[in-house]
Amino acid sequence: MTKCMPEAVDFTQYLKDDELLKMVLKNLLRYGIAFVKNVPPTIEDTKNVAERISFIKETFWGKHWLLTSDLKWADRAFTNERFNCHNDTTYLSEPAGAVIFHCVGHDGEGGMTLLVDAFNVAEKLKTKHPGYYDILTKFPVRHDKIIPDRKIHSVGEGHVLQLCPATGELRLVRHEPTSVCTRHSESKDLGLFYHALSTFTKEMSSPENVLQLKLKPGLVCIVDNWRVLHGRTSFTGKRQMLGIYLPRDEIDSRYRTLLNLDI
């Protein structure tokens, strides 16, 4: 992950200046992350950041979610434990295009946000272990999200590394090993697949590939969920992380429209 973070834009100016919106989207699509600063730590103002780009992608989590360690949901995200890097909504037919994070409060220690550029790690894997890269682009994987008390069983299917059919370039990473279900358990390639997935996962945990930052109230971080994986370190105290999903098609459409303003 690049250690040179893109410059944050001011919230008030971002809401009314299309040039700043274009900068945010350019950073998001070029580097995988973008920042908006001086955002009041409220749900409504964080939604304003999101809806400046597109409509919100609603899921069974709702239009937004607030992560605390209260175990409100039977999900590891709602604890104070370390959460290794992954992308969200791999269990949907099309994962969310971006995740907006806003830490609206934390009265303890720890809780560092972890970010990994999975495209960069995949490129390293392709160079070092081309066979592993190849199997991750071809072996079919199913991701399940099961929350019995909420009567939820969501399923998303695809490859860990999804290529663009037109160009062959990497388009999307689905990486949430705890939800992986291999459909072809008798395939001769099953062992190779798990070796490849393990190597890919280990490479992403290498310190040289991980950017750590402390998100504080007022700073909104927008993450390309198809490219950049996120996680966190363990923490103490009460930590409240507000999150919102955006659809990928709308992000791309918005940016193209803004570019056309220059023509």
Side-chain angles (χ1 to χ4, degrees), residues 46-71:
T46 308
K47 282 184 175 181
N48 286 338
V49 173
E51 292 175 334
R52 182 78 167 99
I53 298 171
S54 84
F55 59 83
I56 290 169
K57 181 180 179 72
E58 187 170 6
T59 68
F60 54 74
W61 303 107
K63 286 192 172 183
H64 70 273
W65 31 266
L66 189 64
L67 290 182
T68 63
S69 53
D70 59 4
L71 288 174

